[in-house]
């Protein structure tokens, strides 16, 4: 009788641990998806802002980081989502070469801003030439 109850408790504990691990991976997966979505939305907003400037030279070339945050995060959730936001900002700063962060005066106040750096045709053609050369070198 003790053997069966020990087995029963062991199975219950294993099922409980499996449920906790599954929940952990679900939450972590949702956080990762949320982070990736923030990065993509940030890139889209900065690029869209640049395109607005191209259409209307009175529109600024840059967009304040805090304005992007305010567009993406609902006011009630800003504090809760702050770590995810900061992670996305750090990722953009470290990994996105098309976006530059700088300080700009906006209506007399200093802001950190993002500026879209369009791919120049020269750098695009050079990178295409380089990749073509590299791919051809593997064929030789």
């Amino acid at each position: 009788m003790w053997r069966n109850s020990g087995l029963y408790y062991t199975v219950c504990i294993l099922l409980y641990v499996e449920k906790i691990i599954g929940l952990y991976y679900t939450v972590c997966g949702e956080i990762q998806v949320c982070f990736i979505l923030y990065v993509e939305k940030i890139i889209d907003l900065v690029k869209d802002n640049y395109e607005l400037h191209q259409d209307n030279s009175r529109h600024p070339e840059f967009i304040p980081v805090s304005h992007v945050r305010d567009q993406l995060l609902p006011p009630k959730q800003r504090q809760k989502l702050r770590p995810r936001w900061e992670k996305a900002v750090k990722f953009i700063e470290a990994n996105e070469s098309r976006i530059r962060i700088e300080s700009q005066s906006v209506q007399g106040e200093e802001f950190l801003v993002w500026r879209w750096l369009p791919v120049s045709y020269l750098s695009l053609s050079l990178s295409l030439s380089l990749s073509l050369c590299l791919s051809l070198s593997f064929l030789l």
Side-chain angles (χ1 to χ4, degrees):
M1 178 160 174
W2 288 105
R3 272 191 199 170
N4 290 340
S5 64
L7 181 62
Y8 173 76
Y9 289 122
T10 303
V11 168
C12 287
I13 290 171
L14 288 174
L15 289 174
Y16 181 73
V17 168
E18 179 184 18
K19 188 168 187 118
I20 289 174
I21 291 172
L23 180 63
Y24 172 79
Y25 282 113
T26 300
V27 169
C28 287
E30 288 173 6
I31 290 171
Q32 185 65 22
V33 168
C34 188
F35 162 73
I36 292 167
L37 288 175
Y38 281 146
V39 169
E40 289 175 355
K41 286 180 181 181
I42 290 168
I43 292 169
D44 289 342
L45 283 171
V46 175
K47 185 177 180 183
D48 290 348
N49 185 74
Y50 172 78
E51 290 170 355
L52 282 173
H53 171 74
Q54 294 299 103
D55 294 340
N56 177 3
S57 62
R58 290 183 174 185
H59 190 83
E61 266 188 280
F62 53 83
I63 186 167
V65 174
S66 58
H67 292 185
V68 174
R69 181 202 63 217
D70 295 347
Q71 288 180 37
L72 294 178
L73 304 179
K76 288 184 178 181
Q77 293 186 325
R78 284 188 190 142
Q79 194 63 29
K80 177 184 170 191
L81 297 175
R82 186 177 183 168
R84 294 180 197 171
W85 168 256
E86 289 173 352
K87 183 178 176 184
V89 169
K90 285 179 184 175
F91 182 86
I92 293 283
E93 291 173 4
N95 299 296
E96 187 53 61
S97 64
R98 299 170 296 176
I99 296 177
R100 179 175 63 203
I101 192 160
E102 56 190 52
S103 182
Q104 285 283 340
S105 179
V106 179
Q107 297 180 349
E109 230 182 298
E110 286 295 312
F111 282 91
L112 284 178
V113 300
W114 278 319
R115 182 185 301 267
W116 181 258
L117 302 174
V119 177
S120 71
Y121 294 109
L122 179 60
S123 67
L124 180 61
S125 65
L126 287 174
S127 66
L128 288 175
S129 299
L130 181 60
S131 64
L132 180 61
C133 289
L134 289 174
S135 63
L136 290 175
S137 69
F138 287 113
L139 294 174
L140 299 175

